Amino acid sequence: MLSINNLTVKYGQITAVREISFEVKKGEIACIVGPNGAGKSTTLLTISGVLKPSNGDINLDNNTIAGFSPEQIAGLGVTQVPEGRHIFTSLTVEENLKVGAALRNDKDTIAQDIERITTLFPILGERKQQQAGKLSGGEQQMLAIGRALMTNPSIMTIDEPSLGLAPIIIDKVYEALVSLRKETGLTLLIVEQSAERALQVADMIYVLRNGEIKLKGTSKELKGNDKISKAYFGFDER
Ligand code: ATP
């Protein structure tokens, strides 16, 4: 569905991502894991069109989207839940969800979709009329995911859904993502700092460090051995 080929992204003279290639198949949960500064956010921002590649290609269903604007890419069904959530704090939960549907043409199914999202995250249903800024960090993460779902995506990328959340809340967020994939077949590309968490939920894992993919494999292949931690921390280069 999504394929990244020899992608290089630079900030001026700094190369943040260097010739990386990977793919996310339809209905798959893929995780990019890696330490701070590895290039994870840069990769997602380039897929969503916020950053432009210096080199390489990004294909969605075999058509290039490299260099497209964020609006064009969103229009093709690629939605991003950014790091830090960026919900509209002065709007209500329901208004935030409606913002997600702003670019949709099928306005008559919006209420139905809000219903679906509040079934996935019941707390959002209970707090529908509450100002979003008053939600807890975990609830805000759920709202950010809910708002992204309102765009009716075929693939959703999420930048560090666990950031700053208690383990029990992280469990809830991931449980919802896994059931979402199971029920709707939504394709997910998740950036995650915790390799352990990625091993629990992902079909495919890519370890990114210093802007390069150091290791890739299925969770099955990588579970129970030290390959991931070696690639993550760079012990393989000693
Ligand atoms: P984290 O887990 O800390 O969010 P990350 O893996 O998402 O890290 P990126 O944010 O993609 O990493 O950063 C990759 C590299 O690019 C880092 O060296 C970072 O300092 C650099 N970088 C990121 N944003 C900019 C920017 N706007 N200008 C210059 N350099 C940047």
Side-chain angles (χ1 to χ4, degrees), residues 11 14 16 34-43 83 159-160 191 193:
Y11 296 100
I14 301 166
N36 290 123
K40 306 182 296 296
S41 298
T42 301
T43 303
E83 188 175 353
D159 200 346
E160 298 206 32
V191 156
Q193 278 214 12

Side-chain angles (χ1 to χ4, degrees), residues 5-235:
N5 306 305
N6 293 315
L7 183 73
T8 296
V9 189
K10 297 182 181 179
Y11 296 100
Q13 299 294 310
I14 301 166
T15 301
V17 166
R18 193 187 308 273
E19 291 182 6
I20 64 167
S21 297
F22 65 94
E23 63 170 340
V24 187
K25 296 196 178 113
K26 194 167 166 46
E28 187 172 75
I29 299 182
C31 273
I32 303 176
V33 301
N36 290 123
K40 306 182 296 296
S41 298
T42 301
T43 303
L44 291 197
L45 289 169
T46 312
I47 291 169
S48 60
V50 175
L51 296 172
K52 303 293 168 218
S54 307
N55 228 325
D57 203 3
I58 303 171
N59 284 289
L60 179 69
D61 297 329
N62 298 321
N63 297 311
T64 187
I65 56 166
F68 282 25
S69 71
E71 293 76 15
Q72 281 175 307
I73 292 172
L76 292 168
V78 181
T79 192
Q80 183 174 11
V81 182
E83 188 175 353
R85 293 133 206 171
H86 300 286
I87 56 158
F88 299 103
T89 51
S90 59
L91 300 185
T92 65
V93 166
E94 188 173 27
E95 286 164 346
N96 267 275
L97 292 175
K98 285 183 175 164
V99 168
L103 294 175
R104 276 169 53 172
N105 297 322
D106 53 342
K107 303 284 183 204
D108 45 337
T109 53
I110 289 175
Q112 201 177 310
D113 284 349
I114 290 180
E115 198 62 40
R116 197 165 57 89
I117 287 159
T118 53
T119 306
L120 186 69
F121 297 117
I123 191 73
L124 297 182
E126 289 166 30
R127 304 287 168 82
K128 236 172 171 175
Q129 303 310 327
Q130 186 177 311
Q131 215 182 329
K134 299 212 171 98
L135 297 175
S136 72
E139 290 158 2
Q140 291 191 9
Q141 182 65 68
M142 292 169 196
L143 180 56
I145 293 170
R147 187 182 57 189
L149 287 173
M150 288 300 291
T151 65
N152 236 348
S154 54
I155 178 165
M156 182 160 78
T157 70
I158 315 179
D159 200 346
E160 298 206 32
S162 332
L163 199 70
L165 303 184
I168 188 164
I169 307 296
I170 301 173
D171 287 346
K172 275 197 177 165
V173 169
Y174 272 105
E175 274 165 25
L177 292 174
V178 168
S179 76
L180 188 66
R181 187 269 292 263
K182 197 171 159 205
E183 282 161 26
T184 66
L186 179 67
T187 308
L188 291 162
L189 172 61
I190 305 172
V191 156
E192 177 55 66
Q193 278 214 12
S194 161
E196 202 183 321
R197 186 66 67 174
L199 283 168
Q200 286 168 2
V201 298
D203 300 304
M204 275 303 291
I205 296 180
Y206 298 92
V207 181
L208 193 63
R209 182 165 48 80
N210 288 339
E212 294 175 359
I213 291 182
K214 302 289 186 185
L215 179 72
K216 68 172 190 179
T218 63
S219 296
K220 217 170 167 186
E221 287 164 347
L222 301 178
K223 235 175 229 170
N225 60 48
D226 60 359
K227 279 188 186 162
I228 277 207
S229 53
K230 278 185 172 167
Y232 194 113
F233 295 110
F235 296 150

